[in-house]
Amino acid sequence: MPFAWTAIHLMNIVNSAGSLERDTELELSLSERKGSWSERRNSSIMGRRSLERTTCGDESCSLTGFRPATLTITNFFKQEGDRLSDEDLYKFLADMRRPSSVLRRLRPITAQLKLDISPAPENPHYCLTPDLQQVKPYPDSRVRPTREILEIPARDVYVPNTTYRNLLYVNPQSLNFANRQGSARNITVKVQFMNGEDPNNAMPVIFGKSSCADFAKEAYTSVVYHNRSPDFYDEVKIKLPASLSDHHHILFTFYHVSCQQKQNTPLETPVGYTWIPMLQNGRLRTGHFCLPVSLEKPPQSYSVLSPDVREYFWN
């Protein structure tokens, strides 16, 4: 669950940094009552002046004059999951762009976040595609790469396909253990792509994080502390095999993570299981799912069954 949040109006950054000198530092301070933009230059110019908030459409904003800048964010707002839903957060984001007293109800948190923003070169060096393929020339594999981001457009974009791509995105959203007995409160979810029921059937097709291997057999969500009904904000990116069978499925294992390790007691204790078969009537299953969670390990040959096939088995 997110601890705090803030917002950045990217078009203001683009327009402001484009009109300033090189190596400029922009400082964004959000107070309870209103947001204010100020500028602090690293050069000999010590004065400050406020940056006007401007609104422009995509057609009038240009990146040709954009110069490298450092953005400093100094204020955040605490996000309490029981009191601030995602829908409420979207409303606050809209209110931040105009004078409003709504932000007074939020609890500010003092912190500092610095972001270095610079335009991408026309031909970046040491580039990896969204599928982690090296773009030639790539003379030294030890150099820190530049990784392309795969866009998921709101509208269909019709372009010729030059590479084979078969990806699946998994976004665990929420879990309800409120009525379940036990002390499971620090909960994480392990996600695995399986081609059978044996634990060794987990496939190394999950994209790793920046500091990990390119592909992994499992991915974990962030641990939500002392919450029996947590919300998750993690995304798991999977490289689907070209050929799927009825045994391919996604296995979700729920763990309680102990804050203090006791003798002869593991830090992670499994507290539930569920899964999603990949195929239904020969077609890939996608969409939103509300799944029952089993107290015990799934039965034999479970991968070809729907997770709600035996209702008495579930909590």
Side-chain angles (χ1 to χ4, degrees), residues 1-49:
M1 177 181 296
F3 172 70
W5 66 275
T6 189
I8 302 173
H9 188 202
L10 293 179
M11 284 299 98
N12 280 352
I13 302 300
V14 171
N15 296 334
S16 301
S19 62
L20 300 176
E21 296 180 357
R22 186 178 179 84
D23 298 330
T24 297
E25 183 171 337
L26 303 175
E27 182 174 346
L28 172 61
S29 177
L30 299 173
S31 62
E32 287 187 82
R33 299 183 179 180
K34 62 180 180 179
S36 62
W37 294 88
S38 61
E39 166 201 351
R40 186 174 64 208
R41 301 186 181 183
N42 291 332
S43 61
S44 59
I45 301 177
M46 301 301 295
R48 294 189 178 186
R49 62 184 178 83

mmCIF file of all heavy atoms in Angstrom, residues 1-49:
data_model
loop_
_atom_site.group_PDB
_atom_site.id
_atom_site.type_symbol
_atom_site.label_atom_id
_atom_site.label_comp_id
_atom_site.label_asym_id
_atom_site.label_seq_id
_atom_site.Cartn_x
_atom_site.Cartn_y
_atom_site.Cartn_z
ATOM 1 N N MET A 1 0.837 -1.188 0.000
ATOM 2 C CA MET A 1 0.000 0.000 0.000
ATOM 3 C C MET A 1 0.879 1.247 0.000
ATOM 4 O O MET A 1 1.845 1.322 0.759
ATOM 5 C CB MET A 1 -0.908 0.012 1.228
ATOM 6 C CG MET A 1 -1.776 1.247 1.347
ATOM 7 S SD MET A 1 -2.803 1.200 2.822
ATOM 8 C CE MET A 1 -3.818 -0.217 2.442
ATOM 9 N N PRO A 2 0.599 2.242 -0.840
ATOM 10 C CA PRO A 2 1.404 3.462 -0.864
ATOM 11 C C PRO A 2 1.351 4.182 0.475
ATOM 12 O O PRO A 2 0.328 4.212 1.152
ATOM 13 C CB PRO A 2 0.753 4.293 -1.970
ATOM 14 C CG PRO A 2 0.025 3.309 -2.827
ATOM 15 C CD PRO A 2 -0.420 2.222 -1.895
ATOM 16 N N PHE A 3 2.487 4.775 0.857
ATOM 17 C CA PHE A 3 2.573 5.509 2.112
ATOM 18 C C PHE A 3 2.234 6.983 1.918
ATOM 19 O O PHE A 3 1.594 7.600 2.776
ATOM 20 C CB PHE A 3 3.978 5.364 2.682
ATOM 21 C CG PHE A 3 4.237 6.234 3.880
ATOM 22 C CD1 PHE A 3 3.617 5.966 5.093
ATOM 23 C CD2 PHE A 3 5.088 7.321 3.790
ATOM 24 C CE1 PHE A 3 3.859 6.769 6.193
ATOM 25 C CE2 PHE A 3 5.327 8.119 4.882
ATOM 26 C CZ PHE A 3 4.715 7.846 6.090
ATOM 27 N N ALA A 4 2.661 7.553 0.807
ATOM 28 C CA ALA A 4 2.426 8.974 0.550
ATOM 29 C C ALA A 4 2.380 9.201 -0.948
ATOM 30 O O ALA A 4 2.794 8.354 -1.741
ATOM 31 C CB ALA A 4 3.504 9.828 1.194
ATOM 32 N N TRP A 5 1.897 10.367 -1.345
ATOM 33 C CA TRP A 5 1.785 10.676 -2.764
ATOM 34 C C TRP A 5 1.987 12.167 -2.977
ATOM 35 O O TRP A 5 1.878 12.982 -2.066
ATOM 36 C CB TRP A 5 0.412 10.254 -3.305
ATOM 37 C CG TRP A 5 -0.739 11.031 -2.727
ATOM 38 C CD1 TRP A 5 -1.405 10.779 -1.570
ATOM 39 C CD2 TRP A 5 -1.342 12.214 -3.280
ATOM 40 N NE1 TRP A 5 -2.382 11.711 -1.358
ATOM 41 C CE2 TRP A 5 -2.376 12.612 -2.390
ATOM 42 C CE3 TRP A 5 -1.119 12.961 -4.425
ATOM 43 C CZ2 TRP A 5 -3.173 13.720 -2.627
ATOM 44 C CZ3 TRP A 5 -1.916 14.066 -4.657
ATOM 45 C CH2 TRP A 5 -2.934 14.442 -3.777
ATOM 46 N N THR A 6 2.305 12.504 -4.199
ATOM 47 C CA THR A 6 2.349 13.887 -4.644
ATOM 48 C C THR A 6 2.079 13.879 -6.135
ATOM 49 O O THR A 6 1.854 12.816 -6.721
ATOM 50 C CB THR A 6 3.705 14.538 -4.323
ATOM 51 O OG1 THR A 6 3.629 15.948 -4.583
ATOM 52 C CG2 THR A 6 4.808 13.929 -5.161
ATOM 53 N N ALA A 7 2.088 15.035 -6.764
ATOM 54 C CA ALA A 7 1.750 15.123 -8.186
ATOM 55 C C ALA A 7 2.669 16.114 -8.871
ATOM 56 O O ALA A 7 3.114 17.098 -8.274
ATOM 57 C CB ALA A 7 0.289 15.535 -8.373
ATOM 58 N N ILE A 8 2.963 15.843 -10.129
ATOM 59 C CA ILE A 8 3.797 16.718 -10.947
ATOM 60 C C ILE A 8 3.068 16.975 -12.257
ATOM 61 O O ILE A 8 2.623 16.027 -12.912
ATOM 62 C CB ILE A 8 5.161 16.074 -11.235
ATOM 63 C CG1 ILE A 8 5.893 15.743 -9.941
ATOM 64 C CG2 ILE A 8 6.016 16.980 -12.114
ATOM 65 C CD1 ILE A 8 7.164 14.953 -10.152
ATOM 66 N N HIS A 9 2.936 18.230 -12.610
ATOM 67 C CA HIS A 9 2.347 18.590 -13.897
ATOM 68 C C HIS A 9 3.470 18.622 -14.929
ATOM 69 O O HIS A 9 4.253 19.576 -14.996
ATOM 70 C CB HIS A 9 1.654 19.950 -13.806
ATOM 71 C CG HIS A 9 0.875 20.290 -15.038
ATOM 72 N ND1 HIS A 9 0.539 21.567 -15.385
ATOM 73 C CD2 HIS A 9 0.366 19.504 -16.016
ATOM 74 C CE1 HIS A 9 -0.136 21.568 -16.518
ATOM 75 N NE2 HIS A 9 -0.240 20.319 -16.922
ATOM 76 N N LEU A 10 3.587 17.584 -15.732
ATOM 77 C CA LEU A 10 4.733 17.430 -16.620
ATOM 78 C C LEU A 10 4.834 18.558 -17.650
ATOM 79 O O LEU A 10 5.940 18.980 -18.007
ATOM 80 C CB LEU A 10 4.656 16.075 -17.329
ATOM 81 C CG LEU A 10 4.823 14.847 -16.444
ATOM 82 C CD1 LEU A 10 4.708 13.575 -17.273
ATOM 83 C CD2 LEU A 10 6.158 14.879 -15.724
ATOM 84 N N MET A 11 3.704 19.044 -18.136
ATOM 85 C CA MET A 11 3.765 20.093 -19.139
ATOM 86 C C MET A 11 4.343 21.382 -18.571
ATOM 87 O O MET A 11 5.026 22.130 -19.265
ATOM 88 C CB MET A 11 2.372 20.343 -19.717
ATOM 89 C CG MET A 11 1.911 19.286 -20.708
ATOM 90 S SD MET A 11 2.975 19.172 -22.167
ATOM 91 C CE MET A 11 4.009 17.787 -21.745
ATOM 92 N N ASN A 12 4.089 21.643 -17.291
ATOM 93 C CA ASN A 12 4.716 22.803 -16.663
ATOM 94 C C ASN A 12 6.225 22.630 -16.615
ATOM 95 O O ASN A 12 6.983 23.581 -16.820
ATOM 96 C CB ASN A 12 4.170 22.994 -15.247
ATOM 97 C CG ASN A 12 2.827 23.688 -15.242
ATOM 98 O OD1 ASN A 12 2.366 24.166 -16.261
ATOM 99 N ND2 ASN A 12 2.191 23.723 -14.086
ATOM 100 N N ILE A 13 6.690 21.427 -16.324
ATOM 101 C CA ILE A 13 8.121 21.165 -16.265
ATOM 102 C C ILE A 13 8.741 21.363 -17.636
ATOM 103 O O ILE A 13 9.783 22.003 -17.798
ATOM 104 C CB ILE A 13 8.398 19.752 -15.751
ATOM 105 C CG1 ILE A 13 7.778 19.556 -14.359
ATOM 106 C CG2 ILE A 13 9.884 19.469 -15.721
ATOM 107 C CD1 ILE A 13 8.311 20.497 -13.318
ATOM 108 N N VAL A 14 8.112 20.814 -18.670
ATOM 109 C CA VAL A 14 8.641 20.917 -20.025
ATOM 110 C C VAL A 14 8.705 22.371 -20.465
ATOM 111 O O VAL A 14 9.723 22.852 -20.974
ATOM 112 C CB VAL A 14 7.790 20.088 -20.997
ATOM 113 C CG1 VAL A 14 8.202 20.354 -22.436
ATOM 114 C CG2 VAL A 14 7.913 18.610 -20.672
ATOM 115 N N ASN A 15 7.625 23.106 -20.246
ATOM 116 C CA ASN A 15 7.590 24.503 -20.694
ATOM 117 C C ASN A 15 8.557 25.372 -19.904
ATOM 118 O O ASN A 15 9.209 26.258 -20.455
ATOM 119 C CB ASN A 15 6.168 25.047 -20.545
ATOM 120 C CG ASN A 15 5.195 24.328 -21.445
ATOM 121 O OD1 ASN A 15 5.573 23.789 -22.481
ATOM 122 N ND2 ASN A 15 3.937 24.289 -21.052
ATOM 123 N N SER A 16 8.652 25.125 -18.584
ATOM 124 C CA SER A 16 9.506 25.963 -17.746
ATOM 125 C C SER A 16 10.975 25.685 -18.009
ATOM 126 O O SER A 16 11.771 26.597 -18.170
ATOM 127 C CB SER A 16 9.183 25.730 -16.274
ATOM 128 O OG SER A 16 7.830 26.023 -16.003
ATOM 129 N N ALA A 17 11.345 24.417 -18.043
ATOM 130 C CA ALA A 17 12.751 24.072 -18.245
ATOM 131 C C ALA A 17 13.230 24.461 -19.624
ATOM 132 O O ALA A 17 14.410 24.753 -19.820
ATOM 133 C CB ALA A 17 12.965 22.572 -18.018
ATOM 134 N N GLY A 18 12.329 24.491 -20.588
ATOM 135 C CA GLY A 18 12.730 24.880 -21.925
ATOM 136 C C GLY A 18 13.100 26.337 -22.030
ATOM 137 O O GLY A 18 13.848 26.737 -22.923
ATOM 138 N N SER A 19 12.618 27.182 -21.112
ATOM 139 C CA SER A 19 12.892 28.611 -21.166
ATOM 140 C C SER A 19 14.013 29.033 -20.226
ATOM 141 O O SER A 19 14.366 30.204 -20.186
ATOM 142 C CB SER A 19 11.621 29.386 -20.794
ATOM 143 O OG SER A 19 11.229 29.084 -19.470
ATOM 144 N N LEU A 20 14.601 28.079 -19.480
ATOM 145 C CA LEU A 20 15.647 28.401 -18.522
ATOM 146 C C LEU A 20 17.007 28.000 -19.058
ATOM 147 O O LEU A 20 17.131 27.358 -20.099
ATOM 148 C CB LEU A 20 15.379 27.685 -17.192
ATOM 149 C CG LEU A 20 14.057 28.044 -16.513
ATOM 150 C CD1 LEU A 20 13.893 27.187 -15.270
ATOM 151 C CD2 LEU A 20 13.999 29.515 -16.166
ATOM 152 N N GLU A 21 18.025 28.382 -18.319
ATOM 153 C CA GLU A 21 19.374 28.044 -18.718
ATOM 154 C C GLU A 21 19.664 26.579 -18.427
ATOM 155 O O GLU A 21 18.951 25.915 -17.702
ATOM 156 C CB GLU A 21 20.380 28.933 -17.967
ATOM 157 C CG GLU A 21 20.245 30.413 -18.308
ATOM 158 C CD GLU A 21 21.258 31.241 -17.547
ATOM 159 O OE1 GLU A 21 21.988 30.655 -16.732
ATOM 160 O OE2 GLU A 21 21.309 32.461 -17.779
ATOM 161 N N ARG A 22 20.768 26.120 -18.969
ATOM 162 C CA ARG A 22 21.158 24.727 -18.767
ATOM 163 C C ARG A 22 21.488 24.473 -17.300
ATOM 164 O O ARG A 22 21.871 25.356 -16.554
ATOM 165 C CB ARG A 22 22.369 24.405 -19.649
ATOM 166 C CG ARG A 22 22.770 22.919 -19.612
ATOM 167 C CD ARG A 22 23.927 22.674 -20.540
ATOM 168 N NE ARG A 22 24.322 21.281 -20.493
ATOM 169 C CZ ARG A 22 23.760 20.318 -21.193
ATOM 170 N NH1 ARG A 22 22.763 20.598 -21.985
ATOM 171 N NH2 ARG A 22 24.182 19.072 -21.112
ATOM 172 N N ASP A 23 21.344 23.220 -16.869
ATOM 173 C CA ASP A 23 21.627 22.812 -15.489
ATOM 174 C C ASP A 23 20.816 23.631 -14.506
ATOM 175 O O ASP A 23 21.326 24.231 -13.561
ATOM 176 C CB ASP A 23 23.112 22.946 -15.171
ATOM 177 C CG ASP A 23 23.954 22.039 -16.049
ATOM 178 O OD1 ASP A 23 23.434 20.975 -16.443
ATOM 179 O OD2 ASP A 23 25.100 22.397 -16.348
ATOM 180 N N THR A 24 19.527 23.660 -14.730
ATOM 181 C CA THR A 24 18.615 24.404 -13.879
ATOM 182 C C THR A 24 17.950 23.461 -12.899
ATOM 183 O O THR A 24 17.640 22.320 -13.230
ATOM 184 C CB THR A 24 17.553 25.113 -14.740
ATOM 185 O OG1 THR A 24 18.210 26.062 -15.572
ATOM 186 C CG2 THR A 24 16.530 25.817 -13.877
ATOM 187 N N GLU A 25 17.722 23.938 -11.723
ATOM 188 C CA GLU A 25 17.021 23.147 -10.714
ATOM 189 C C GLU A 25 15.677 23.786 -10.438
ATOM 190 O O GLU A 25 15.579 24.962 -10.109
ATOM 191 C CB GLU A 25 17.820 23.049 -9.421
ATOM 192 C CG GLU A 25 17.141 22.166 -8.387
ATOM 193 C CD GLU A 25 18.028 21.896 -7.199
ATOM 194 O OE1 GLU A 25 19.255 22.001 -7.348
ATOM 195 O OE2 GLU A 25 17.487 21.576 -6.119
ATOM 196 N N LEU A 26 14.623 23.004 -10.619
ATOM 197 C CA LEU A 26 13.272 23.465 -10.351
ATOM 198 C C LEU A 26 12.813 22.878 -9.033
ATOM 199 O O LEU A 26 12.962 21.683 -8.799
ATOM 200 C CB LEU A 26 12.313 23.020 -11.470
ATOM 201 C CG LEU A 26 12.677 23.462 -12.886
ATOM 202 C CD1 LEU A 26 11.709 22.849 -13.865
ATOM 203 C CD2 LEU A 26 12.670 24.972 -12.983
ATOM 204 N N GLU A 27 12.266 23.704 -8.181
ATOM 205 C CA GLU A 27 11.802 23.232 -6.882
ATOM 206 C C GLU A 27 10.294 23.341 -6.820
ATOM 207 O O GLU A 27 9.716 24.407 -7.046
ATOM 208 C CB GLU A 27 12.419 24.051 -5.748
ATOM 209 C CG GLU A 27 11.999 23.547 -4.373
ATOM 210 C CD GLU A 27 12.720 24.275 -3.265
ATOM 211 O OE1 GLU A 27 13.711 24.968 -3.548
ATOM 212 O OE2 GLU A 27 12.264 24.150 -2.111
ATOM 213 N N LEU A 28 9.653 22.224 -6.535
ATOM 214 C CA LEU A 28 8.199 22.157 -6.436
ATOM 215 C C LEU A 28 7.820 21.962 -4.987
ATOM 216 O O LEU A 28 8.232 20.998 -4.349
ATOM 217 C CB LEU A 28 7.655 20.999 -7.276
ATOM 218 C CG LEU A 28 6.172 20.676 -7.117
ATOM 219 C CD1 LEU A 28 5.332 21.872 -7.512
ATOM 220 C CD2 LEU A 28 5.802 19.462 -7.930
ATOM 221 N N SER A 29 7.026 22.889 -4.459
ATOM 222 C CA SER A 29 6.578 22.801 -3.076
ATOM 223 C C SER A 29 5.070 22.849 -3.050
ATOM 224 O O SER A 29 4.468 23.793 -3.557
ATOM 225 C CB SER A 29 7.159 23.963 -2.256
ATOM 226 O OG SER A 29 6.673 23.916 -0.934
ATOM 227 N N LEU A 30 4.469 21.823 -2.475
ATOM 228 C CA LEU A 30 3.016 21.743 -2.393
ATOM 229 C C LEU A 30 2.600 21.919 -0.952
ATOM 230 O O LEU A 30 2.961 21.120 -0.097
ATOM 231 C CB LEU A 30 2.522 20.389 -2.923
ATOM 232 C CG LEU A 30 2.841 20.088 -4.373
ATOM 233 C CD1 LEU A 30 2.439 18.669 -4.707
ATOM 234 C CD2 LEU A 30 2.138 21.063 -5.292
ATOM 235 N N SER A 31 1.867 22.964 -0.667
ATOM 236 C CA SER A 31 1.396 23.191 0.693
ATOM 237 C C SER A 31 -0.026 22.705 0.836
ATOM 238 O O SER A 31 -0.627 22.225 -0.116
ATOM 239 C CB SER A 31 1.476 24.686 1.027
ATOM 240 O OG SER A 31 0.642 25.434 0.161
ATOM 241 N N GLU A 32 -0.580 22.854 2.029
ATOM 242 C CA GLU A 32 -1.942 22.384 2.263
ATOM 243 C C GLU A 32 -2.947 23.180 1.450
ATOM 244 O O GLU A 32 -3.975 22.679 1.052
ATOM 245 C CB GLU A 32 -2.287 22.521 3.744
ATOM 246 C CG GLU A 32 -1.612 21.505 4.634
ATOM 247 C CD GLU A 32 -2.120 21.595 6.032
ATOM 248 O OE1 GLU A 32 -3.194 21.028 6.307
ATOM 249 O OE2 GLU A 32 -1.468 22.228 6.866
ATOM 250 N N ARG A 33 -2.659 24.439 1.219
ATOM 251 C CA ARG A 33 -3.672 25.304 0.632
ATOM 252 C C ARG A 33 -3.532 25.450 -0.879
ATOM 253 O O ARG A 33 -4.490 25.556 -1.589
ATOM 254 C CB ARG A 33 -3.608 26.691 1.290
ATOM 255 C CG ARG A 33 -3.888 26.633 2.793
ATOM 256 C CD ARG A 33 -3.890 28.009 3.398
ATOM 257 N NE ARG A 33 -4.184 27.949 4.820
ATOM 258 C CZ ARG A 33 -4.245 29.013 5.606
ATOM 259 N NH1 ARG A 33 -4.032 30.219 5.110
ATOM 260 N NH2 ARG A 33 -4.517 28.874 6.884
ATOM 261 N N LYS A 34 -2.311 25.499 -1.348
ATOM 262 C CA LYS A 34 -2.140 25.685 -2.782
ATOM 263 C C LYS A 34 -0.780 25.171 -3.193
ATOM 264 O O LYS A 34 0.127 25.019 -2.389
ATOM 265 C CB LYS A 34 -2.286 27.160 -3.167
ATOM 266 C CG LYS A 34 -1.228 28.059 -2.524
ATOM 267 C CD LYS A 34 -1.424 29.499 -2.928
ATOM 268 C CE LYS A 34 -0.368 30.403 -2.287
ATOM 269 N NZ LYS A 34 -0.557 31.805 -2.698
ATOM 270 N N GLY A 35 -0.636 24.945 -4.479
ATOM 271 C CA GLY A 35 0.645 24.530 -5.008
ATOM 272 C C GLY A 35 1.378 25.734 -5.562
ATOM 273 O O GLY A 35 0.779 26.634 -6.132
ATOM 274 N N SER A 36 2.684 25.783 -5.381
ATOM 275 C CA SER A 36 3.478 26.897 -5.877
ATOM 276 C C SER A 36 4.698 26.364 -6.585
ATOM 277 O O SER A 36 5.312 25.387 -6.155
ATOM 278 C CB SER A 36 3.907 27.816 -4.727
ATOM 279 O OG SER A 36 4.709 27.112 -3.815
ATOM 280 N N TRP A 37 5.042 26.995 -7.670
ATOM 281 C CA TRP A 37 6.214 26.610 -8.441
ATOM 282 C C TRP A 37 7.293 27.666 -8.210
ATOM 283 O O TRP A 37 7.054 28.856 -8.297
ATOM 284 C CB TRP A 37 5.896 26.545 -9.934
ATOM 285 C CG TRP A 37 4.944 25.470 -10.279
ATOM 286 C CD1 TRP A 37 3.586 25.538 -10.298
ATOM 287 C CD2 TRP A 37 5.269 24.142 -10.661
ATOM 288 N NE1 TRP A 37 3.051 24.342 -10.663
ATOM 289 C CE2 TRP A 37 4.056 23.472 -10.900
ATOM 290 C CE3 TRP A 37 6.467 23.453 -10.832
ATOM 291 C CZ2 TRP A 37 4.010 22.155 -11.297
ATOM 292 C CZ3 TRP A 37 6.413 22.137 -11.230
ATOM 293 C CH2 TRP A 37 5.190 21.508 -11.452
ATOM 294 N N SER A 38 8.476 27.258 -7.903
ATOM 295 C CA SER A 38 9.580 28.189 -7.758
ATOM 296 C C SER A 38 10.802 27.631 -8.451
ATOM 297 O O SER A 38 10.881 26.441 -8.740
ATOM 298 C CB SER A 38 9.892 28.469 -6.293
ATOM 299 O OG SER A 38 10.274 27.274 -5.643
ATOM 300 N N GLU A 39 11.744 28.497 -8.700
ATOM 301 C CA GLU A 39 12.929 28.115 -9.469
ATOM 302 C C GLU A 39 14.170 28.417 -8.663
ATOM 303 O O GLU A 39 14.260 29.440 -8.002
ATOM 304 C CB GLU A 39 12.954 28.910 -10.781
ATOM 305 C CG GLU A 39 14.299 28.854 -11.496
ATOM 306 C CD GLU A 39 14.460 30.015 -12.455
ATOM 307 O OE1 GLU A 39 13.466 30.720 -12.668
ATOM 308 O OE2 GLU A 39 15.559 30.220 -12.941
ATOM 309 N N ARG A 40 15.128 27.489 -8.676
ATOM 310 C CA ARG A 40 16.409 27.720 -8.043
ATOM 311 C C ARG A 40 17.504 27.293 -8.999
ATOM 312 O O ARG A 40 17.577 26.136 -9.376
ATOM 313 C CB ARG A 40 16.515 26.934 -6.743
ATOM 314 C CG ARG A 40 17.803 27.265 -5.980
ATOM 315 C CD ARG A 40 17.817 26.586 -4.622
ATOM 316 N NE ARG A 40 17.839 25.142 -4.793
ATOM 317 C CZ ARG A 40 17.329 24.314 -3.908
ATOM 318 N NH1 ARG A 40 16.732 24.768 -2.831
ATOM 319 N NH2 ARG A 40 17.402 23.006 -4.108
ATOM 320 N N ARG A 41 18.345 28.210 -9.387
ATOM 321 C CA ARG A 41 19.386 27.932 -10.358
ATOM 322 C C ARG A 41 20.684 27.565 -9.657
ATOM 323 O O ARG A 41 21.034 28.124 -8.626
ATOM 324 C CB ARG A 41 19.617 29.147 -11.266
ATOM 325 C CG ARG A 41 18.353 29.554 -12.031
ATOM 326 C CD ARG A 41 18.655 30.649 -13.020
ATOM 327 N NE ARG A 41 17.439 31.046 -13.735
ATOM 328 C CZ ARG A 41 17.428 31.941 -14.699
ATOM 329 N NH1 ARG A 41 18.535 32.546 -15.055
ATOM 330 N NH2 ARG A 41 16.307 32.251 -15.311
ATOM 331 N N ASN A 42 21.416 26.642 -10.258
ATOM 332 C CA ASN A 42 22.687 26.226 -9.695
ATOM 333 C C ASN A 42 23.816 27.179 -10.073
ATOM 334 O O ASN A 42 24.917 27.082 -9.536
ATOM 335 C CB ASN A 42 23.049 24.815 -10.180
ATOM 336 C CG ASN A 42 22.121 23.777 -9.581
ATOM 337 O OD1 ASN A 42 21.598 23.975 -8.501
ATOM 338 N ND2 ASN A 42 21.915 22.682 -10.298
ATOM 339 N N SER A 43 23.585 28.071 -11.020
ATOM 340 C CA SER A 43 24.617 28.987 -11.464
ATOM 341 C C SER A 43 24.707 30.166 -10.513
ATOM 342 O O SER A 43 24.173 30.153 -9.406
ATOM 343 C CB SER A 43 24.304 29.461 -12.882
ATOM 344 O OG SER A 43 23.063 30.132 -12.884
ATOM 345 N N SER A 44 25.358 31.224 -10.946
ATOM 346 C CA SER A 44 25.585 32.369 -10.075
ATOM 347 C C SER A 44 24.330 33.194 -9.859
ATOM 348 O O SER A 44 24.334 34.109 -9.037
ATOM 349 C CB SER A 44 26.690 33.252 -10.669
ATOM 350 O OG SER A 44 26.307 33.692 -11.972
ATOM 351 N N ILE A 45 23.282 32.898 -10.579
ATOM 352 C CA ILE A 45 22.043 33.643 -10.408
ATOM 353 C C ILE A 45 21.354 33.121 -9.161
ATOM 354 O O ILE A 45 20.915 31.982 -9.111
ATOM 355 C CB ILE A 45 21.134 33.495 -11.643
ATOM 356 C CG1 ILE A 45 21.859 33.996 -12.888
ATOM 357 C CG2 ILE A 45 19.841 34.245 -11.436
ATOM 358 C CD1 ILE A 45 21.060 33.809 -14.153
ATOM 359 N N MET A 46 21.247 33.927 -8.130
ATOM 360 C CA MET A 46 20.724 33.490 -6.849
ATOM 361 C C MET A 46 19.263 33.878 -6.644
ATOM 362 O O MET A 46 18.625 33.420 -5.707
ATOM 363 C CB MET A 46 21.564 34.092 -5.707
ATOM 364 C CG MET A 46 23.042 33.704 -5.792
ATOM 365 S SD MET A 46 23.260 31.921 -5.750
ATOM 366 C CE MET A 46 22.674 31.594 -4.102
ATOM 367 N N GLY A 47 18.762 34.713 -7.504
ATOM 368 C CA GLY A 47 17.380 35.147 -7.323
ATOM 369 C C GLY A 47 16.402 34.053 -7.662
ATOM 370 O O GLY A 47 16.708 33.091 -8.359
ATOM 371 N N ARG A 48 15.207 34.219 -7.182
ATOM 372 C CA ARG A 48 14.145 33.266 -7.473
ATOM 373 C C ARG A 48 12.963 34.012 -8.059
ATOM 374 O O ARG A 48 12.706 35.156 -7.712
ATOM 375 C CB ARG A 48 13.684 32.536 -6.207
ATOM 376 C CG ARG A 48 14.734 31.638 -5.600
ATOM 377 C CD ARG A 48 14.126 30.803 -4.517
ATOM 378 N NE ARG A 48 15.103 29.893 -3.935
ATOM 379 C CZ ARG A 48 14.805 28.977 -3.053
ATOM 380 N NH1 ARG A 48 13.563 28.826 -2.641
ATOM 381 N NH2 ARG A 48 15.751 28.192 -2.562
ATOM 382 N N ARG A 49 12.296 33.342 -8.918
ATOM 383 C CA ARG A 49 11.074 33.913 -9.440
ATOM 384 C C ARG A 49 10.078 32.784 -9.649
ATOM 385 O O ARG A 49 10.458 31.651 -9.912
ATOM 386 C CB ARG A 49 11.300 34.652 -10.762
ATOM 387 C CG ARG A 49 11.801 33.773 -11.901
ATOM 388 C CD ARG A 49 12.082 34.599 -13.140
ATOM 389 N NE ARG A 49 12.598 33.781 -14.220
ATOM 390 C CZ ARG A 49 11.870 33.070 -15.050
ATOM 391 N NH1 ARG A 49 10.553 33.049 -14.899
ATOM 392 N NH2 ARG A 49 12.412 32.365 -16.017
#
